[in-house]
Amino acid sequence: MNRRDLGKLAAAAGLMGLAPMRWAHAQTRAESLRVLSEAGPNSFDPIGVGVNRSAIQAHWNTYDRLLSFGTQTRPDGTLTFDYYKIEGELAERYEVTDDGKTITLHLRPDATFHDGSPVTAEDVKWSLDRVVNTPVGKSQFSTGSMTSADQFTVVDARTIRITVPRADRFTLPNLAGTYPVIFNSKLAKEHATAADPWAAEWLKTNVAGGGPFKLDTHTPGQSLTLSRFDAWKNGALPGFRRVLWQMVPNAQTRRTSLERGDADIAQDLPPQDAVSMAQEGKVKVVGVPMSGAFQFIGMNNTKAPFDNVKVRQAIAYALPYQQMFDAALFKRGQPLFGGKPNEADGTQFPQPLGYDTDLGKAKALLTEAGFPVGFETTFSFELSLATVAEPVSLLVQESLAKIGIRVTINKVPGGQLGTLLQNKEVPFFFEGSAAYFADPDYFFRIFYNGPTRWNFGSYANPEFQALVEKTRFESDRAAYEADVTRMINLAKQEVPIILLWQPALDTGMQKSVEGYKYLFHRMLELRSLKRA
Amino acid sequence: MRERLLLLRYVLAENPVNLVALLLLVLLLGCAAVGPALVPFDPIATETAVALQPPSALHWFGTDQLGRDVFSRVVVAARLDLAIAFAAVLLSMAVGAVIGASMGYFRGPLDTIGSRTTDVLMAFPLFVLAMGMVAALGNSVSSVVYATAVINLPFYIRLSRAEVSVRRSLGYIEAARVGGSGHARILRVFLLPNILPALVVQASVNLGWAVLNTAGLSFIGLGVRAPAPEWGIMVAEGAQFIVSGRWWIATFPGLALMLAVFCFNLLGDGLRDVVDPRTRT
Amino acid sequence: MGFLVGRLLGLVPTLAGVVVVTFVLTHLLPGDPAVFFANSVTADAATIAAVRQKLGLDLPLWQQFFVYVGQLAHGDLGQSISTGQPVAADLLQRLPASLELTLVAFAIAIAVALPLGIAAALRPGSLLDHVCRVLSTAGVSLPTFVSGLLLIYLLYYLLGWAPEPIGRIDPFAIMPPRITGLLLIDTLLAGDTEGFGMAARQIVLPAVTMALFALAPLARMTRAAMLGVLSSEFIRTARANGLRRRTIIVSYALRNALLPIVTTLGMIFSNMLGANVLVERVFAWPGVGSYALDSLISLDYAPVQGFMLVMAGIFVLVNFVIDLLYAVIDPRTGLLTHA
């Protein structure tokens, strides 16, 4: 059976009222794309309670943002984003004053929303106001010194000005991030109520944007169809006219469909499948180590025995890194073990922490720490990470037993580990997380500092905290790098958490699909894809 | 008793299937009892250098992701799986029999409340209820035992209630009552032993369910903790490798699981023939 | 009529019990949904508190319960956070998929189990009897997640006979206008035979996987019931009277054996509806089972509660219908005239 039977497809499009019949008849396989992912969006609104990662893939492709990150090419030829180069998207250009406090953005004159109405500065202001008026949005935007609607001013119909109290390196990246999508405010306001002034209910299930793709149909948890917005002006027109995005929870089924040519792209491939698919060579597998993302072994630095730095170092020397990397991750990623010990190697972070497996050193450190016969502890990980975490935990258990540390493994169902971490109740665990912005101080501020659960080691070194504060607005490059170097040294010497690796984002695709680009949020950007 | 034994011999001789079931049971119990001492490899020792090897003369069932010997793990897993199943079924049989028998014997409000509660329990989608209980009680073997026992409870309550209801007005119970026996004694000495055979038949069928239930829970990641070998977890771990052609990791524990449940089900049939010869022809 | 109303009212306490137990169970789950759903790395304590308030989780438990019961009274099952949809809409969307799968599996099971059971009962102790017993027991011994996976590997991946084990219909096909939600029926109503074929092909594998499991109790019960009836006085009399064998089996024996069989049918049906969680998981079938599972793992209370309630509702209704069927089938009521 020909799965992409022309007539059937045309009839489908016509019947569902998706497109004019004549257009549909011109449809060919070359112009439609079928994507399979593990989960689907639970909202089309980037800001809300419990909005999942797949939601980014939905709003990233159906909305525009004012700015976007540039593009660079990796050594293997894969396109990736360039954090340090911010370009205009909906804003065709922008100016920053010398004191860094005022940003003026000029909107593209011919840009329209999907309903044909022009994009105005009013829409932009409404959209930015909306971010700072929602708790989740505000906590993100405040990392870029944007906290109040007063900071967004409409200059004229095509110009908007953003003022910040002081120059902030994170203001522009925040505008290029996932939250500040530009809504068709007139349309959205029609659905706002007194109880819901920002139309959160309506925007959760509807798209009011002007992005490169329009939403045609959505069956929650099953599928989503998108069609190209032909009047899109903010970049080159996407290569595909229609996109069918389906949710297939089972990774093996996604893989099989791709290899048999039924699907064009399969997302979120488990490492072992990525390896064997690449070996078999029926399809293309693109694996990009996720920048900013990392998996690690966490220890509660406030509780014995992990409050002792020697214990943490002993564990860092006792982990069987290479085995874990080979057997659990199938080498799909960038190691964060090994490397230069004790001292910073450049100012990028995460970077390898400088620890290698050395049981002799581990045993010695443990004895020095006052645990010559070891101790008992529990190692937790989350159910959803089990494919990688389970083998990791078994290897950790086995290896630590050799220096006398007896580990019980605890697999925690999804929602529960977050709460345990929030209450700082987990002594020893495997987790993963990611920071969107590449600046090392941003990484340290979230993951090595503060009272939230994201400070995975509950690390509280006064010197480190002072440096985190100091680097926040540091504009002197040399001073900044000196401070970051010191923080990296501390992260290596005191090992509040043991970084393991940056896992690769493995995406499988037909050989005919080109233009794949890795983005900071790890979801698919559809506009650059095309069929060769 | 001797009569029963004779019957047992007759049933075994007459029905070869029962013999097969009995042999299977002996094999399984053997694995559970002495398996850990006999297996060629340490079932939890990893050896990443030989990971994902197909079945060979050295590793009969191949090796898994961490290079552990699948054969050793399948054999050793019998102990945990059977232990959970037996514990859960015995627990729910004991509790269910006492509750059900009391309900049938005393009648009245106790019976009404008990029946209503049983109705509520029966109305739940049982597997999802078990999932919920394990998630709420925490991931451990004992949670799985409790959850499995609870979802099997209604069957025993209903069965023993029905059996006792029939018997409570029989002559020998009346006689005991007149003879001055207390309620507790009547239940303990005259009623419970008499309903035991029916309960045992039910139990042997439930053992199969209990094994499936345990494996199903660990398949979705609830229950038994690593590194303990358990068939359901092994199938779940192996499932991700089937498509890349490493079929052995999931298939062998899957077969072991099937065999165990198959054995209990056949045994249930056989036992029914022994205990309740009326259903035989 | 009064009997009917009385029976229906009797169902209310059971459902009320289910509501209470489910509520308690979900709220016993360790883990704070507010923390889980405030999932951005920039979320601080204030954000979590705001989320908790938005979800109504800052109220004392008993107040949350009354809020929930109040919602239920208005027919509102609440809102799912993970899917972003109202629970009632989610369930309505997915229930037909589960129902269709269960019904087809059920039909397959009956079509195989009844003849098998009858044949076994006619020649007890024969080779056929043993084969029937071993086959059906083997079926019930297959964990659905193992048999499902093996069927997919064999029939789709290796042999390519079965269609892609994803969902209910070819993704590029026309969805028939939704009337019953059961694709097999909707496609026929729309006169779309091609669509029917597609939907039928998709459902075969998961349905067979499930049917294997339901086969054993049915075949066994049929055999036992038929045996009981066949050895009874009136059959012997009928035989002695020289009635045709076929007449005896179908209109006398089978009809009298139907009572226990129907009871078993009811049990199996409701069990299958709740127990297809794993089958739906393996076949990416968009039903209620996998929905409940995901919600339970991600601390999404409302869908779990809604699922339990709906399943329990179906269970008691099915039992209610069985009771009615009993009255109809029972030869003593004379409602069913001779076939």
Side-chain angles (χ1 to χ4, degrees), chain A residues 251-373:
Chain A
Q252 276 57 54
T253 322
R254 285 201 296 280
R255 170 184 176 174
T256 313
S257 307
L258 180 72
E259 289 193 322
R260 304 209 358 172
D262 292 342
D264 294 312
I265 294 188
Q267 297 184 265
D268 317 305
L269 296 173
Q272 76 272 13
D273 283 303
V275 172
S276 69
M277 282 167 87
Q279 275 167 1
E280 284 173 28
K282 288 187 226 164
V283 293
K284 202 158 60 170
V285 179
V286 183
V288 183
M290 301 188 225
S291 57
F294 59 108
Q295 290 180 330
F296 64 94
I297 292 195
M299 293 161 289
N300 189 334
N301 288 214
T302 60
K303 283 203 179 126
F306 299 107
D307 55 347
N308 188 328
V309 64
K310 293 220 163 72
V311 170
R312 299 200 295 269
Q313 287 170 342
I315 291 177
Y317 278 119
L319 295 178
Y321 296 103
Q322 196 60 46
Q323 278 181 39
M324 296 197 286
F325 190 63
D326 294 351
L329 206 67
F330 292 85
K331 304 192 176 90
R332 301 298 291 186
Q334 186 76 38
L336 290 176
F337 51 87
K340 192 174 170 189
N342 288 319
E343 274 171 43
D345 184 10
T347 54
Q348 281 299 316
F349 204 83
Q351 61 172 259
L353 287 187
Y355 290 88
D356 278 305
T357 317
D358 184 342
L359 287 176
K361 226 182 231 176
K363 185 78 194 155
L365 279 163
L366 206 59
T367 313
E368 265 180 64
F371 295 97
V373 292

Side-chain angles (χ1 to χ4, degrees), chain C residues 49-195:
Chain C
V51 168
R52 184 172 295 127
Q53 195 193 354
K54 192 162 190 305
L55 297 177
L57 295 169
D58 51 338
L59 300 173
L61 203 57
W62 62 272
Q63 274 185 32
Q64 288 185 44
F65 182 70
F66 281 111
V67 170
Y68 175 61
V69 172
Q71 281 180 348
L72 277 185
H74 292 96
D76 179 7
L77 293 176
Q79 193 85 17
S80 161
I81 309 171
S82 349
T83 68
Q85 306 287 318
V87 172
D90 271 343
L91 287 176
L92 265 179
Q93 171 77 34
R94 288 154 181 274
L95 196 59
S98 294
L99 221 54
E100 185 170 41
L101 178 58
T102 310
L103 285 173
V104 173
F106 199 56
I108 297 176
I110 293 180
V112 178
L114 280 191
L116 212 59
I118 294 172
L122 289 178
R123 288 184 188 74
S126 69
L127 184 66
L128 184 74
D129 186 17
H130 288 306
V131 169
C132 158
R133 183 173 155 202
V134 172
L135 269 187
S136 61
T137 314
V140 81
S141 312
L142 279 170
T144 44
F145 53 91
V146 177
S147 48
L149 280 172
L150 291 180
L151 283 177
I152 291 179
Y153 182 61
L154 226 70
L155 298 182
Y156 173 63
Y157 194 73
L158 285 186
L159 300 172
W161 293 350
E164 220 184 349
I166 301 181
R168 305 170 68 191
I169 197 164
D170 188 305
F172 280 90
I174 316 159
M175 279 293 259
R178 187 184 167 103
I179 301 164
T180 56
L182 307 177
L183 281 184
L184 290 176
I185 294 178
D186 283 357
T187 46
L188 284 186
L189 286 179
D192 174 11
T193 47
E194 200 192 345

Side-chain angles (χ1 to χ4, degrees), chain C residues 20-35:
Chain C
V20 176
V21 173
T22 325
F23 183 86
V24 173
L25 187 71
T26 46
H27 287 77
L28 272 183
L29 289 176
D32 183 349
V35 172

Side-chain angles (χ1 to χ4, degrees), chain B residues 103-272:
Chain B
M103 279 161 60
Y105 182 74
F106 294 110
R107 306 253 168 114
L110 178 74
D111 189 22
T112 317
I113 295 170
S115 301
R116 280 278 172 234
T117 316
T118 322
D119 284 348
V120 170
L121 212 52
M122 290 287 285
F124 273 102
L126 293 178
F127 186 71
V128 183
L129 183 65
M131 274 168 46
M133 281 192 285
V134 175
L137 292 173
N139 250 348
S140 67
V141 168
S142 58
S143 308
V144 177
V145 171
Y146 294 138
T148 311
V150 169
I151 63 172
N152 280 326
L153 206 53
F155 300 100
Y156 294 98
I157 295 184
R158 290 198 168 172
L159 186 65
S160 45
R161 177 181 173 275
E163 295 276 332
V164 168
S165 296
V166 173
R167 290 189 166 82
R168 78 191 290 267
S169 49
L170 290 182
Y172 72 106
I173 302 293
E174 287 292 331
R177 204 173 292 145
V178 173
S181 298
H183 292 312
R185 189 178 147 75
I186 293 179
L187 271 174
R188 203 179 65 236
V189 178
F190 298 103
L191 286 172
L192 286 176
N194 272 306
I195 63 173
L196 200 60
L199 288 176
V200 169
V201 172
Q202 177 72 34
S204 75
V205 175
N206 278 14
L207 275 174
W209 293 358
V211 172
L212 278 184
N213 195 57
T214 310
L217 285 173
S218 20
F219 178 72
I220 56 171
L222 291 170
V224 181
R225 290 179 187 202
E230 194 279 334
W231 293 326
I233 295 185
M234 294 173 71
V235 174
E237 283 172 358
Q240 28 173 345
F241 291 96
I242 287 188
V243 170
S244 46
R246 283 98 167 208
W247 50 271
W248 57 88
I249 310 175
T251 307
F252 289 112
L255 286 176
L257 186 56
M258 272 168 51
L259 220 60
V261 185
F262 186 59
C263 160
F264 287 128
N265 284 330
L266 287 181
L267 217 64
D269 269 10
L271 271 181
R272 190 183 329 225

